[in-house]
Amino acid sequence: QVQLEESGGGLVQPGGSLRLSCAASGNIFRVNVMGWYRQAPGKERELVAAITSTGSTNYADSVKGRFTISRDNAKNTVYLQMNNLKPEDTAVYSCNGNIITSTGILSPYWGQGTQVTVSS
């Protein structure tokens, strides 16, 4: 079994900052790409940012220059630093990891999601 546990969501005013964390635990051999997705009410889920095990990153155009994704491979943890938050960033943010278990099976895993609300 593999679990992804997120933390760090909440309510913040426009222009503020939040840092999300997502820790993978369980029967893990290797964690490949990790990413953050978000889904706002009435909208489809979208990729926010992703990072490979070697540190290559990819961002949605809407968050470039404001969000930074990073990871700690020793802790199987990925972070999302969100600065200059805007009301349109309001969504449920979910962590995703492509993980190889000790049995050699590669599968995608998801966290439970954390709410980020940007409002004055």
Side-chain angles (χ1 to χ4, degrees):
Q1 281 285 59
V2 173
Q3 299 84 35
L4 271 62
E5 184 172 358
E6 300 136 337
S7 61
L11 173 65
V12 64
Q13 293 185 343
S17 297
L18 283 175
R19 189 191 194 209
L20 306 182
S21 299
C22 172
S25 62
N27 189 23
I28 297 171
F29 173 72
R30 179 177 177 177
V31 181
N32 289 342
V33 177
M34 298 190 80
W36 289 96
Y37 290 74
R38 68 185 180 187
Q39 187 167 21
K43 295 187 176 181
E44 293 187 354
R45 183 168 62 189
E46 63 172 349
L47 175 66
V48 177
I51 184 168
T52 69
S53 58
T54 56
S56 296
T57 58
N58 182 43
Y59 295 93
D61 288 342
S62 59
V63 306
K64 284 180 180 177
R66 300 188 297 122
F67 291 10
T68 302
I69 190 169
S70 61
R71 64 190 284 171
D72 184 334
N73 289 334
K75 297 180 179 179
N76 290 330
T77 299
V78 63
Y79 307 95
L80 186 67
Q81 177 66 42
M82 304 184 292
N83 298 328
N84 190 22
L85 283 159
K86 304 176 180 181
E88 51 264 41
D89 295 317
T90 296
V92 174
Y93 285 69
S94 298
C95 170
N96 170 270
N98 289 298
I99 296 173
I100 301 174
T101 64
S102 61
T103 58
I105 299 173
L106 172 65
S107 301
Y109 292 89
W110 291 90
Q112 78 282 1
T114 185
Q115 178 69 45
V116 171
T117 302
V118 185
S119 174
S120 55

